[in-house]
Amino acid sequence: EQAIIQTARQIADEQRQAEVVLTALSQTKPVPVQCSLLRVLGGIANRQALDRLQTAAEEKEPALQDTAVRALANWPNTQAAGALMKIIQNTTSDTHRTLAFRGYIRLLSLPEERPVEDTLNLYAQALAQAHQTSEKQLVLSGLANVNHPQALQMAGTCLADEAVHQESALALLKIAQVLKAANPKEVQAALEKLLAATKDPKLAQPAREILIEVIEPVSIFDGQTFTGWEGNQELFHIAEGAIVAGSLDKDTARNEFLCTQKEYADFELYLQVRLLGDPAHANAGIQFRSRRVPNNNEVSGYQADMGQQFWGCLYDEARRNAVLAPADQAEVNKVLRPNDWNDYVIRALGSRIQLWINGQMTIDYTESDEKMEQTGIIGLQIHAGPPSQVWYRNINIKEIPKAK
């Protein structure tokens, strides 16, 4: 059979490559010989061979039908996609349906100069015909390699199906990773749908990490008013588009905080900070997942610390009263700009908290105490002590949805 296939392929006119085999097939009666010739046609794989195998796939003789189906399932290009879909739709044989389905998805993965819209349409047809879990898994495994927003949507349609929930989510995540730069809005919508549908932290975590990259930050300080904030506005004021607290002329009597009226759970907070005063004494910080202490000026909760030997540390203010995660000050000092503006980033996702100063991560901390709150206000602190002043500006946040 292989010798005949190789000889036929050497005929320059592709349309004539199968002629001899087709003639022999029309004149041959024994079923085993016909099956052999059908396999040869599958190896020649031109248009005329395809047409004949499509006819053979509908033969009443089981051996001929089986040989034709197997030849079509191994076709080297997508010309056989229509024939395979017809088998999927009409066959009563579970074996032939499985062969056709696997062959169909394999064909779609082959490199061909085909518009992506055509590929998506072919996958949509397969998904519409996929009734068994194994069939849906096949479609999703192939769809994961189609980097197009419509593929994101198609993969997401299977999230509610518990049998293929994981495969659907993994396909969606793979496509989202590729499309996040070019199609951030579509990726955000798809990942938010995933988070609303999944209970699996192994699927939720990568989804949220991609979301951090695609969600547009929202300003929570307009640079002109204290809208959305509450606190001691005699101590806190606005200057040059920044929130300013403290004085370089007199001591600060006690810790003071300007806090958001809204609470935040999982987020990435971006802001710029500037701390002025004696470096040995000046101190401030950014509270998050915090609470105001009743009948007190204090705020209780996590603090991204600033000043002295605490730049980039994670402190637990008015609660455990301890540094939860110290930052390597020698490394921080390599990037810190004293008495100037510094970029501070706080990321809080579930029990994990990460801090960055001027692009350098200072701590990566995982909370082990499940009693610690994972939601709360954000607060800007000026610490009690000798004359010092702290400035906060360009305060933006990305809120990250939680999993189901």
Side-chain angles (χ1 to χ4, degrees):
E1 292 176 9
Q2 289 300 315
I4 298 173
I5 292 170
Q6 293 301 321
T7 301
R9 285 179 175 174
Q10 293 176 12
I11 298 174
D13 187 349
E14 183 181 328
Q15 293 185 0
R16 295 185 56 204
Q17 289 175 355
E19 281 184 356
V20 174
V21 180
L22 289 170
T23 299
L25 186 59
S26 67
Q27 297 172 353
T28 300
K29 297 300 181 182
V31 171
V33 177
Q34 289 187 61
C35 288
S36 179
L37 292 171
L38 289 174
R39 287 193 293 270
V40 170
L41 289 176
I44 294 172
N46 66 1
R47 186 73 238 184
Q48 289 75 17
L50 176 61
D51 292 341
R52 183 63 183 86
L53 285 167
Q54 284 183 265
T55 301
E58 299 175 1
E59 290 276 1
K60 293 182 180 180
E61 168 56 51
L64 296 177
Q65 186 182 88
D66 184 72
T67 302
V69 170
R70 292 176 185 276
L72 292 168
N74 288 306
W75 207 257
N77 56 57
T78 54
Q79 286 184 347
L84 290 171
M85 179 53 65
K86 188 174 181 180
I87 294 168
I88 292 169
Q89 292 170 334
N90 299 321
T91 187
T92 57
S93 166
D94 290 342
T95 298
H96 289 172
R97 180 179 174 88
T98 299
L99 287 169
F101 227 109
R102 289 176 180 173
Y104 185 91
I105 299 302
R106 180 187 61 81
L107 291 183
L108 298 192
S109 68
L110 295 177
E112 288 194 18
E113 293 184 4
R114 178 178 62 241
V116 67
E117 291 79 11
D118 290 353
T119 298
L120 288 164
N121 183 53
L122 293 170
Y123 272 110
Q125 291 180 46
L127 193 57
Q129 292 297 320
H131 306 311
Q132 301 174 21
T133 297
S134 60
E135 294 171 349
K136 294 177 184 178
Q137 290 171 334
L138 274 173
V139 177
L140 290 166
S141 67
L143 190 62
N145 299 307
V146 183
N147 300 318
H148 191 277
Q150 193 175 328
L152 271 178
Q153 297 175 10
M154 202 181 303
T157 61
C158 295
L159 285 170
D161 186 338
E162 286 297 324
V164 292
H165 174 79
Q166 185 177 38
E167 289 82 358
S168 174
L170 290 173
L172 196 154
L173 286 169
K174 185 176 181 181
I175 301 166
Q177 186 67 41
V178 176
L179 296 184
K180 62 186 180 183
N183 303 91
K185 291 183 179 179
E186 291 87 348
V187 168
Q188 179 178 343
L191 293 177
E192 288 177 349
K193 182 176 181 179
L194 190 161
L195 288 174
T198 193
K199 296 179 181 178
D200 187 344
K202 293 182 180 180
L203 297 174
Q205 185 62 27
R208 299 171 87 205
E209 289 175 356
I210 298 174
L211 272 174
I212 289 171
E213 299 182 59
V214 300
I215 290 177
E216 285 291 328
V218 175
S219 174
I220 57 174
F221 170 56
D222 62 16
Q224 299 178 331
T225 71
F226 286 121
T227 301
W229 297 81
E230 57 84 16
N232 184 349
Q233 294 186 19
E234 293 183 1
L235 187 63
F236 288 86
H237 66 279
I238 297 171
E240 300 175 19
I243 294 172
V244 186
S247 170
L248 295 175
D249 300 321
K250 59 182 180 179
D251 294 353
T252 298
R254 64 182 191 178
N255 291 351
E256 291 284 356
F257 303 84
L258 184 74
C259 298
T260 59
Q261 295 172 338
K262 179 180 176 179
E263 295 187 358
Y264 299 89
D266 287 5
F267 61 85
E268 190 163 86
L269 179 69
Y270 307 74
L271 71 165
Q272 292 182 306
V273 300
R274 180 168 66 179
L275 184 62
L276 306 176
D278 183 355
H281 300 288
N283 187 273
I286 305 129
Q287 295 291 137
F288 59 97
R289 290 181 171 176
S290 297
R291 293 274 180 268
R292 280 204 178 272
V293 178
N295 304 312
N296 196 296
N297 62 292
E298 280 292 345
V299 169
S300 170
Y302 297 109
Q303 182 186 104
D305 219 331
M306 299 163 50
Q308 301 166 301
Q309 72 274 23
F310 301 110
W311 276 102
C313 295
L314 180 65
Y315 185 74
D316 202 21
E317 176 81 13
R319 189 166 56 182
R320 286 170 286 190
N321 297 309
V323 174
L324 302 177
D328 184 333
Q329 294 303 296
E331 292 300 312
V332 172
N333 286 332
K334 292 178 182 179
V335 298
L336 188 67
R337 298 188 283 266
N339 300 313
D340 201 353
W341 290 106
N342 293 276
D343 299 327
Y344 218 137
V345 176
I346 302 167
R347 179 184 293 177
L349 288 180
S351 61
R352 188 180 185 188
I353 296 169
Q354 297 166 287
L355 304 180
W356 288 264
I357 292 179
N358 295 328
Q360 177 170 299
M361 182 183 289
T362 61
I363 67 99
D364 189 343
Y365 172 79
T366 299
E367 179 60 70
S368 59
D369 189 343
E370 294 181 357
K371 296 178 182 177
M372 294 298 106
E373 287 192 88
Q374 293 189 9
T375 187
I377 57 175
I378 292 169
L380 309 178
Q381 183 205 51
I382 178 65
H383 201 283
S388 65
Q389 193 175 66
V390 62
W391 293 56
Y392 301 95
R393 73 179 184 186
N394 297 332
I395 309 171
N396 297 281
I397 196 167
K398 295 181 178 183
E399 291 189 77
I400 312 301
K402 286 184 175 291
K404 183 177 180 182

